[in-house]
Amino acid sequence: MRTLPAGNALFGHFSKAVLDLEHMMAVQRGEPGGHTAYFRTELGLAPNSYLRAQASYYLACALLLEENDAAGAVLLYEQARALAPQLWVAARAGAALNALHAQEAAQPSAGI
């Protein structure tokens, strides 16, 4: 088996892909740990609409997990749907939005 030298462009690409996947899977499993900052950075660096949509989706998930920020998550889920309406990320973002709205509707109002 041949290994790639550390300075090789493919090594860098695959290392980044593994790091992205580790953060994505940890968020999906509900494990907090710096994912909000990671995906904020990814969103700022994303070179195309697909990667921006993906980063928006995972940042929204991380905001809910680590900061309990439903308002921020809603905006990011909507952004993900708008950026890539035909891709998987839009469907997941739409499902997450529906779940948030259902949760919101189920909560009793704090009327005075």
Side-chain angles (χ1 to χ4, degrees):
M1 173 182 251
R2 206 172 143 215
T3 59
L4 295 171
N8 185 294
L10 276 177
F11 179 84
H13 175 75
F14 287 119
S15 295
K16 171 77 171 72
V18 167
L19 183 61
D20 287 350
L21 188 57
E22 287 175 354
H23 279 278
M24 290 174 191
M25 296 306 296
V27 166
Q28 291 298 318
R29 287 188 304 262
E31 299 170 357
H35 311 301
T36 301
Y38 182 82
F39 287 113
R40 271 198 181 105
T41 300
E42 288 302 298
L43 183 57
L45 297 174
N48 58 51
S49 59
Y50 171 74
L51 291 176
R52 281 191 298 279
Q54 182 174 292
S56 295
Y57 171 78
Y58 282 105
L59 177 54
C61 294
L63 279 174
L64 285 173
L65 175 66
E66 296 177 343
E67 299 178 11
N68 200 26
D69 182 2
V74 165
L75 294 174
L76 288 161
Y77 284 138
E78 289 173 348
Q79 178 176 314
R81 285 189 344 176
L83 286 168
Q86 71 283 12
L87 300 175
W88 68 268
V89 72
R92 281 205 181 163
L97 278 170
N98 290 340
L100 278 175
H101 292 313
Q103 181 181 5
E104 211 174 69
Q107 293 178 352
S109 65
I112 297 177

